């Protein structure tokens, strides 16, 4: 995993088309949306991906599968795409999460996948 942080448009470059990225949240939160953006043309954007939530910050407990999504290439590159996270799954209320995993299953045609922006929105209480 390599992250170039030289400027605002420097992407997180992930080797391979199938990768997983996990981030710990600063506070436990009821996640409502995931935002993703890809603004550079020098590497492939993610395509198909899944989102998982973890109640622990190490992401070693039982994951909650929060959805399967697709990033639409060639949309307005300056506007992040938003993906709604359900408040309940199979009749169970989704808990607050300490970590979120992004499982990238494919990209738009390269050996590496770039991610320019990943935003996790939610609330610490309902």
């Amino acid at each position: 995993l390599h992250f170039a942080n030289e400027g605002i448009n420097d992407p997180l470059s992930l080797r391979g088309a199938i990768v997983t990225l996990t981030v710990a949240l600063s506070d436990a939160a009821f996640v409502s949306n995931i935002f993703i953006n890809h603004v550079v043309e020098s590497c492939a954007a993610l395509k198909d991906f899944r989102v998982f939530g973890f109640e622990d910050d190490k992401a070693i407990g039982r994951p909650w599968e929060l959805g399967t999504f697709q990033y639409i290439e060639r949309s307005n590159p300056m506007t992040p795409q938003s993906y709604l996270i359900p408040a309940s799954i199979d009749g169970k209320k989704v808990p607050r999460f300490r970590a979120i995993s992004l499982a990238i299953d494919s990209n738009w045609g390269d050996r590496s996948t770039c991610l320019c922006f990943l935003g996790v929105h939610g609330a610490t209480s309902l």
Side-chain angles (χ1 to χ4, degrees), residues 2-21:
H2 172 69
F3 181 61
N5 193 16
E6 297 169 7
I8 194 164
N9 290 331
D10 290 334
L12 178 62
S13 178
L14 306 162
R15 296 199 189 278
I18 301 173
V19 295
T20 301
L21 173 69

Side-chain angles (χ1 to χ4, degrees), residues 62-113:
R62 177 187 160 276
W64 284 72
E65 187 165 357
L66 303 176
T68 300
F69 307 97
Q70 185 174 81
Y71 181 84
I72 306 301
E73 189 179 45
R74 307 283 183 237
S75 66
N76 181 349
M78 299 314 291
T79 303
Q81 293 178 32
S82 176
Y83 304 92
L84 183 64
I85 302 301
S88 64
I89 298 174
D90 296 330
K92 296 179 185 173
K93 182 180 172 187
V94 174
R96 293 189 306 170
F97 296 119
R98 296 287 316 197
I100 295 292
S101 285
L102 183 69
I104 301 170
D105 297 316
S106 64
N107 68 21
W108 286 99
D110 199 358
R111 288 181 280 164
S112 294
T113 303

Side-chain angles (χ1 to χ4, degrees), residues 22 24 54-61 98-99:
T22 301
F54 293 89
E55 294 178 67
D56 63 288
D57 61 349
K58 304 287 187 217
I60 55 175
R98 296 287 316 197

